[in-house]
Amino acid sequence: MMRDLDLFEAIARRRRAVRAFLPQCVDRALIERLVAAATTTPSSCNTQPWTLHITSGMALDRLRVALIDAVSSGVPPEYEVEAAGRYEGQFRERQIDAAVRLFETQGVDRNDKAARAASMLHNFAFFGAPHAAFLFMPPDGGLREAADCSKFAQTFMLALAAAGLGSCPQASLSGYPSIIRAALRLDNEPGKLLLGMSFGYPDDEDPTALARPPRATTQDVVCFHSD
């Protein structure tokens, strides 16, 4: 059993936010196997309140163009699930640190607004990934359903990592649900878009692969109570 734990720890540490992908597509049968693994995720009362839409090929190309055009034109995001507020304290410090590390690998000066905007646009090009996934929660879902869907997303990302693949969960993609619905012809999808995700084979030679923000220690995140 300890060998299983060693393997799990290795997979968990291998998973990272990949921001550069190779163009090679992932076999459909493998994707289906990884999604099947993700469906083992626990949920409240076994409701399994998630729907996953995966796109590639011409549909993804069409969506990529539509999103970049919209964002470049200044179209503001309209979230179906409340966006994160401003982080404070140590959470804000971690957010800034992660951004600084990413910009440094890209050679982007923090005060260069044009370069930062160009870097941000990579999100909407899916970092060159051949596949993108969009996770929807029920139309009347709340925080509990969002938590269950997030667990599903994490299980899927760990499965991807176990298969030698990479992923990047992107809250930014959830700000344009109408564009995503139109490009993917999801008129009959009643759920609320929680997040998008780029995935595929990671390009480990890209400089962004060097951006590895540190993780909080065990002592930072857990309190033990025994008395």
Side-chain angles (χ1 to χ4, degrees):
M1 297 303 292
M2 291 302 294
R3 285 189 299 177
D4 288 345
L5 177 57
D6 291 341
L7 178 59
F8 177 77
E9 286 178 333
I11 293 169
R13 291 193 178 101
R14 186 188 310 157
R15 190 222 60 79
R16 64 182 177 85
V18 175
R19 292 184 172 86
F21 294 86
L22 299 174
Q24 178 185 355
C25 290
V26 181
D27 184 74
R28 171 74 173 268
L30 177 56
I31 295 176
E32 292 180 351
R33 180 178 177 182
L34 300 177
V35 172
T39 62
T40 65
T41 300
S43 58
S44 179
C45 301
N46 195 37
T47 50
Q48 305 172 65
W50 44 70
T51 302
L52 191 66
H53 291 273
I54 295 178
T55 182
S56 58
M58 293 178 61
L60 182 58
D61 291 340
R62 183 170 62 243
L63 178 56
R64 184 181 287 114
V65 170
L67 285 172
I68 291 176
D69 284 349
V71 176
S72 299
S73 300
V75 176
E78 295 182 354
Y79 296 94
E80 295 180 334
V81 178
E82 184 178 0
R86 179 179 173 81
Y87 297 109
E88 301 292 345
Q90 63 180 345
F91 309 116
R92 176 63 174 166
E93 292 173 3
R94 292 171 185 166
Q95 180 188 33
I96 293 174
D97 177 70
V100 169
R101 289 172 184 268
L102 179 60
F103 288 148
E104 286 179 346
T105 65
Q106 297 174 318
V108 173
D109 187 284
R110 187 177 177 187
N111 296 316
D112 189 337
K113 293 183 178 180
R116 289 178 62 181
S119 174
M120 180 271 294
L121 273 181
H122 289 315
N123 282 277
F124 303 99
F126 305 100
F127 305 111
H131 307 280
F134 298 94
L135 184 60
F136 288 79
M137 57 187 283
D140 57 350
L143 288 176
R144 190 176 300 278
E145 289 73 26
D148 285 341
C149 287
S150 297
K151 289 183 289 185
F152 174 89
Q154 173 71 348
T155 306
F156 183 51
M157 288 187 288
L158 288 173
L160 286 163
L165 301 169
S167 63
C168 186
Q170 298 164 254
S172 57
L173 295 175
S174 65
Y176 297 89
S178 60
I179 294 174
I180 291 170
R181 290 172 188 276
L184 302 185
R185 302 184 178 98
L186 300 180
D187 296 337
N188 295 323
E189 172 53 68
K192 295 187 291 188
L193 179 60
L194 180 62
L195 61 83
M197 181 190 304
S198 299
F199 72 92
Y201 291 95
D203 182 358
D204 292 327
E205 299 301 317
D206 189 88
T208 59
L210 299 175
R212 303 290 182 94
R215 300 298 182 177
T217 66
T218 302
Q219 291 72 25
D220 290 331
V221 300
V222 64
C223 297
F224 293 99
H225 305 270
S226 58
D227 295 332

